[in-house]
Amino acid sequence: MYSERRQPEDRSRFLYLTAIIDYLKSNRHRIAHHALSRTAAPLASRGDIQPLLPLINGEIADIITLDMNSKKTFVKCMHFDDLVAHFEGDIALNDSLARIQEEDLKDIHFIFASNGILTSKLLEIDYISQYPNVSQISFLEVRFDPDAIHKIGNPNIYLRKVVGQVREIGVTFNESPSGNCECGGKMMAGTYKISYWGKSKSLEYSVCDNCGIQQESDENAGQVMSFMQGLAAQ
């Protein structure tokens, strides 16, 4: 799937952005531009989008789209070599939201995507009241290896892997019946969903509000596989 010549330090990030773009396309986003793009998409020529292109610089956001409601969407994509957890006060998230507010943009859908763990302490904050220029915020946990996934030659299998390994995490949590984590933190019960082309499947899981360790039923993997079977027929 990867063919452009790029510097080694850009390659993994380019693959990561490409796979996230494919996920967004399968969820009715129209892509206008991304931070490593060498050519502008036709959508980028629109008068209301052109002024926003300088903001898609890898700092404020990495991708700009129009979502299924034609809302301008900024996507911030975090990628780490080691597994990390995001907590309340996350600098990358807060800096992006603050810059959007400073630019006096209106009615922005902001998506924060990371291959790290999104903790309940990060997700339960009311960001929209703090940053009113953002009218919608979504959180994605990305579980694919960008280098490995782009070696898949079959486009249908590739897309199933991408969609099946991106979770949109809900922002409402309750204390989990399983009690405390081994680290002493509280296990918080929440939900995530996988989705494509207007279809979605919600699943339950829990995350420690202290160390970020996650737990979920063994049945979840089977439910994901069953849900993804319909993707091949699209």
Side-chain angles (χ1 to χ4, degrees):
M1 307 290 292
Y2 177 83
S3 59
E4 294 193 36
R5 289 189 176 183
R6 295 179 179 272
Q7 295 297 318
E9 61 269 22
D10 286 343
R11 182 178 184 276
S12 185
R13 182 167 175 246
F14 177 79
L15 295 177
Y16 186 64
L17 292 187
T18 300
I20 290 177
I21 285 170
D22 289 334
Y23 168 83
L24 294 168
K25 286 179 178 178
S26 74
N27 281 280
R28 300 178 178 177
H29 284 258
R30 290 179 288 157
I31 310 301
H33 187 63
H34 67 84
L36 295 180
S37 177
R38 291 179 173 177
T39 57
L43 192 59
S45 64
R46 282 182 33 160
D48 59 335
I49 290 180
Q50 268 192 329
L52 304 179
L53 298 184
L55 304 180
I56 311 305
N57 54 13
E59 296 179 3
I60 300 173
D62 297 277
I63 305 167
I64 182 171
T65 82
L66 291 181
D67 69 12
M68 66 182 68
N69 298 312
S70 295
K71 183 177 293 186
K72 297 179 184 68
T73 303
F74 283 17
V75 188
K76 176 73 173 179
C77 302
M78 306 299 296
H79 182 261
F80 305 93
D81 292 331
D82 300 313
L83 187 62
V84 303
H86 297 275
F87 293 92
E88 179 181 1
D90 185 272
I91 294 174
L93 172 61
N94 289 348
D95 282 357
S96 291
L97 293 171
R99 287 292 304 278
I100 289 171
Q101 194 67 29
E102 289 170 8
E103 294 290 339
D104 199 28
L105 306 177
K106 303 297 183 185
D107 196 24
I108 298 296
H109 179 188
F110 184 80
I111 298 176
F112 187 75
S114 177
N115 68 339
I117 300 294
L118 305 177
T119 65
S120 60
K121 289 182 177 179
L122 175 91
L123 295 163
E124 290 189 304
I125 296 171
D126 184 2
Y127 293 100
I128 292 175
S129 67
Q130 297 180 36
Y131 305 99
N133 289 356
V134 176
S135 60
Q136 182 179 351
I137 186 165
S138 305
F139 295 92
L140 304 179
E141 278 189 358
V142 180
R143 290 289 167 261
F144 57 70
D145 178 329
D147 292 279
I149 207 166
H150 281 276
K151 294 177 182 177
I152 298 173
N154 185 306
N156 285 333
I157 295 175
Y158 162 79
L159 191 56
R160 284 204 299 270
K161 288 286 188 181
V162 169
V163 170
Q165 295 182 44
V166 177
R167 306 174 168 192
E168 182 176 348
I169 309 296
V171 298
T172 302
F173 291 84
N174 297 296
E175 289 191 28
S176 172
S178 62
N180 289 346
C181 177
E182 291 181 0
C183 75
K186 293 180 181 179
M187 294 300 296
M188 305 298 293
T191 61
Y192 67 84
K193 70 179 181 179
I194 53 174
S195 58
Y196 64 89
W197 291 311
K199 302 176 182 179
S200 64
K201 176 70 175 179
S202 293
L203 298 162
E204 297 179 352
Y205 83 114
S206 58
V207 58
C208 175
D209 65 1
N210 182 55
C211 70
I213 193 170
Q214 294 182 340
Q215 298 175 352
E216 59 184 302
S217 168
D218 292 339
E219 297 177 356
N220 280 9
Q223 292 188 57
V224 170
M225 289 181 64
S226 177
F227 175 76
M228 295 303 299
Q229 292 303 313
L231 186 59
Q234 300 297 319

